[in-house]
Amino acid sequence: MTYKHVFAAALVTASLIAAPAAFAAKKKLTGEEQLAKLLEGREAGKPVTCIQLNQSDSTVIVDKTALVYRVGRTLYVNRPTNADRLDNDDILVTKTFSSQLCRLDTVQLHDRTSRMWSGFVGLQDFVPYTRVKKTAAAN
């Protein structure tokens, strides 16, 4: 083995040893911190009881905190009952009887790996968050 090979092997070994420390050093955000980051630059509007499900572009599960539905440029935050059951690795199963998702509807949670039922949450009011309009600075 040449010096170059020994050096490369030592470098790889050192990086493998340091990787867990670097991974552990990265702080995992709490659900509230994740939600605050997601809503940064937005302000809350008047809560609504229903949203049009067919207009929802995406849904984000914020661990143990909330469900966030994107409808166009607006984010609707729902802090359901049993929010402590929310896990961003779950699959949401929503059974609706109309084109709207409303307060008091329930959402089943299924584990992504086993596909087993892992609980449910009961929806509450949806709080719309829109981007804050920047005003021109006065000269």
Side-chain angles (χ1 to χ4, degrees):
M1 235 196 232
T2 65
Y3 175 73
K4 189 183 344 178
H5 290 110
V6 172
F7 180 73
L11 188 60
V12 168
T13 303
S15 67
L16 290 174
I17 291 169
F23 182 74
K26 186 175 180 181
K27 180 186 172 219
K28 183 173 172 136
L29 299 177
T30 67
E32 290 296 338
E33 291 169 333
Q34 291 173 28
L35 184 59
K37 187 174 181 179
L38 190 62
L39 298 176
E40 195 170 290
R42 296 177 179 269
E43 63 183 17
K46 183 179 178 185
V48 296
T49 57
C50 297
I51 61 171
Q52 291 294 326
L53 191 55
N54 60 355
Q55 293 178 359
S56 178
D57 302 325
S58 64
T59 306
V60 174
I61 301 171
V62 181
D63 279 344
K64 302 186 184 324
T65 307
L67 296 172
V68 181
Y69 297 89
R70 179 181 295 276
V71 178
R73 295 181 181 170
T74 304
L75 297 180
Y76 286 90
V77 176
N78 193 292
R79 291 179 177 266
T81 59
N82 297 334
D84 61 319
R85 307 286 301 175
L86 291 173
D87 181 341
N88 67 0
D89 201 36
D90 279 341
I91 297 171
L92 302 177
V93 179
T94 307
K95 294 179 185 175
T96 59
F97 301 98
S98 72
S99 62
Q100 294 185 322
L101 191 57
C102 295
R103 179 182 189 2
L104 303 180
D105 284 344
T106 59
V107 178
Q108 292 182 10
L109 308 172
H110 291 258
D111 181 76
R112 185 174 304 280
T113 306
S114 69
R115 306 281 196 238
M116 297 290 293
W117 183 83
S118 60
F120 75 96
V121 294
L123 298 179
Q124 298 299 310
D125 285 339
F126 297 83
V127 179
Y129 283 83
T130 54
R131 292 238 179 251
V132 177
K133 294 183 182 187
K134 297 178 182 174
T135 58
N139 290 341

